[in-house]
Amino acid sequence: MAEPTAGQKPYDPLAFSSQELRDLYWFMNLNRLLEERLTVLYRQGQIVGGLYRSLGQEATSVGTGYATLKQDLVGPMIRNLGVFMVRGVSPQDIMAQYMAKASGPTMGRDVNTHFGDLSKGIVITTSMLGALLEVMVGTALAIKLQKRPDQVAFTWIGDGGQTNGYFHEGMNLAAVKKLPFVCIIENNGYSYSTPNHRETPISQFVLKARAYGCPGIRFDGNDVLEALWATRRARAMCQRGEGPVIMEAVTFRIRGHAEHDDAGYVPRELVERWKQQDPLARYEAQLDTLPNAPTRAERDEMRAQIQGLLTECVDKVLPMPQPRGESAMGGVYAGEKRPAVPPM
Amino acid sequence: MARSALAKVGRGGGGAVASAVGMETLRALHGRMVLVRTAEERLMARLRSGGRWTGTLHPSRGQEAVSVATVAHLTDEDWASPTPRELGVHLCRGMPLAEVFAHFAGAVNGGALGSVVSRTTPSLGSTASNLAVGAGIAMAFKLRRQPRVAMGFFGDGVMGTGTAHEVFNLSAAHGLPYVLVCNNNGMAFSQPVAETSPVVELGSRGEAYGLPWKSVDGTDVEAVWLAAREAVQRARDGGGATLLECRTPRLGGFTTAELMEETIPRDAVDVLPRLEARLVELGVARTELEAAAARARQQVDEAVAHTEALPVVHSAALRRRVYAD
Ligand SMILES: Cc1ncc(C[n+]2csc(CCOP(=O)(O)OP(=O)(O)O)c2C)c(N)n1
Ligand SMILES: Cc1ncc(C[n+]2csc(CCOP(=O)(O)OP(=O)(O)O)c2C)c(N)n1
Ligand SMILES: [Mg+2]
């Protein structure tokens, strides 16, 4: 079981611009506060399906996502809400998705973050663990074949997901073909109720890189600056033709697999230890020491802005209709942008 | 590893380094390898001449040590899961030569390669699948707390498959009594290993799974035998699975149906003459080696004659060995 990482940091915290520091603060809080709103909606019975939270993992999503560039192509996991929003998906769209509203990105046909948006470089999120990685390796192969040296493909996979054969076939191909591909293994200690030590005898998932002869980078997944710094390094390696790169984010799932799961199988002390490593609290403390960081008053102001924005979203999305049954056949085939029968 | 292990044993007669394997065992391994080669040579000739001989052989020429020197450590209670390229595994585990030939000659008593008697699972056509079958057997041994070992075989081409990944992970996570033998003959069909694996030393991929591993020269019978002994012992002692890579040349081509002669390496070491030179160096008389070859020829002659005397299987018998009865 991974323990919180500590000690000397590999990066220079003074190397980030004040805009970057502000953006990271904004998105980490947006990620957390949006999930808090979604949790309330879940309890009210407004969410269709499960709610897969990323409490305690926001720094990984936001930091890695922020390191991707506009032209990059990404395939995030269900829990990577931060990646979606850093790349321009609005909280309103996320809410509409979770409530299966006809106005959402999949027009109510699918739920949670199971959607893509190529205009934002988001290829897709799929439910079948490992399958997404193969889609993103295919994307990286396309990048290479089309000779686009400025593009890199990214995907995220869990400590559990990487045991799947698809992961291996995809990584093997990426490594043999030296593709510009970054795979971020988000090690949050558990795969549903299965702890790390029952998944593998190895202590670090970054060791997976040894099977592919590719670079591996392990980082503190609860430190947003380190996540950003490490992912930028991985991206640069890919651009130099040293890819693919396997990264391991060391983090922890504070909530259950989803909100329906009380996670009684996780030792309480372990959760308590990781709560001390809350990525938002740690970032607040870090910002207090950085000269170009937003002040506390500015941060309070940002959080208030986010809350206002989220209240507007809830008020707007709640009364929206879900799709009509007759519209189900619309938008299935290429060329049909919207359903033949209006969804609402 | 082999070198240092040999050095420890000291020097035998004639200045040759004595074999850590032991002379009796080395002679026995030689006898089995000669039998496998002779049987395959005969099969090759028969299959390419047509008639009732209609199966496809994946020759193990140059790779016989991988089949022979590994299963030498298994007991009757253990199980092996070979690929079609490990005919020698079935033979060494006690499948009668005549039954093996019957498989290729459409004879009435023919069936799958592999049987409950030899405790070898069928040499399945779908690559990698036998590896998963072997893992299941190892899992059963573990759950039943039996001190037994399973040994699974696979080619370099299987290294990159999802099945191999899931089997490696499962074997490591559950500490299965499983020996994973990779026969790296440098080719998967027409693809050189550099096109299927991003790392040169295939065995080292064990590190990504927490599997102990070793990579040995598969044309060095003693090295294969010693490495397999260590792996089998580990599995039997409850120490879990091992990944053992044996590097070999594909001297016999891909299959009788697609020989791919252009892919056969010209200057590669051939395991059999190498072993024979070693035996001579250790004091074994040439006449003894010739006698072993003559014995093998005789066994093969008899088995061929026996097989060809049997009627060809007819459609009514096709259901045989399909269902449990
Ligand atoms: C191929 C496949 N098998 C099983 C599942 C069911 N499943 C969904 S999430 C999950 C656990 C995933 O754990 P992990 O990969 O560690 O990601 P995490 O949920 O911790 O972010 C499982 C088993 C699935 N979606 N796909
Ligand atoms: C699942 C599957 N895919 C493809 C094939 C076709 N095929 C048969 S043998 C082979 C190459 C196997 O190479 P390797 O694993 O290195 O074993 P070798 O033949 O060299 O012993 C392939 C691709 C198959 N039999 N099964
Ligand atoms: Mg997990």
Side-chain angles (χ1 to χ4, degrees), chain A residues 1 7 22 47 49 65 74 81-82 92 130 141 158 173-174 178 189 191 213 227 241 245 247 273 331:
Chain A
M1 181 63 53
R22 285 183 71 86
I47 301 284
V74 304
L81 213 54
Q92 182 183 321
L141 183 58
L173 183 71
K178 293 208 140 288
S191 168
V245 181
M247 304 182 70
R273 264 208 304 290

Side-chain angles (χ1 to χ4, degrees), chain B residues 45-251:
Chain B
R46 280 290 193 279
L47 289 168
R48 287 178 79 77
S49 66
R52 66 179 293 172
W53 296 79
T54 51
T56 304
L57 174 73
H58 295 63
S60 69
R61 192 181 187 83
Q63 309 161 57
E64 292 96 336
V66 179
S67 314
V68 173
T70 50
V71 298
H73 300 287
L74 299 185
T75 69
D76 286 350
E77 303 284 271
D78 297 333
W79 273 82
S81 284
T83 76
R85 207 176 292 289
E86 281 99 22
L87 197 70
V89 167
H90 297 295
L91 289 175
C92 292
R93 301 278 303 151
M95 198 169 169
L97 198 50
E99 231 176 90
V100 170
F101 283 174
H103 164 85
F104 289 98
V108 284
N109 64 332
L113 280 180
S115 72
V116 177
V117 177
S118 56
R119 285 194 168 42
T120 53
T121 62
S123 282
L124 300 171
S126 176
T127 61
S129 53
N130 68 297
L131 203 57
V133 172
I137 293 173
M139 180 73 95
F141 289 161
K142 169 121 184 160
L143 292 175
R144 294 172 180 171
R145 300 179 201 283
Q146 291 168 319
R148 296 182 190 170
V149 176
M151 191 178 270
F153 294 80
F154 62 107
D156 45 284
V158 165
M159 248 318 171
T161 67
T163 304
H165 178 72
E166 296 185 359
V167 165
F168 293 175
N169 191 64
L170 193 81
S171 304
H174 293 271
L176 299 185
Y178 199 24
V179 180
L180 296 143
V181 182
C182 176
N183 180 356
N184 176 7
N185 62 13
M187 294 292 291
F189 196 74
S190 56
Q191 242 182 338
V193 65
E195 286 178 19
T196 61
S197 173
V199 298
V200 177
E201 202 165 34
L202 299 191
S204 72
R205 300 182 89 164
E207 283 174 24
Y209 303 88
L211 285 173
W213 64 277
K214 190 152 273 181
S215 176
V216 298
D217 178 352
T219 69
D220 181 342
V221 183
E222 292 158 279
V224 174
W225 189 88
L226 290 168
R229 181 175 67 176
E230 187 186 321
V232 169
Q233 199 57 52
R234 178 179 295 122
R236 216 179 292 290
D237 291 347
T242 304
L243 178 57
L244 172 59
E245 175 196 5
C246 303
R247 302 181 306 272
T248 57
R250 195 173 75 181
L251 294 185

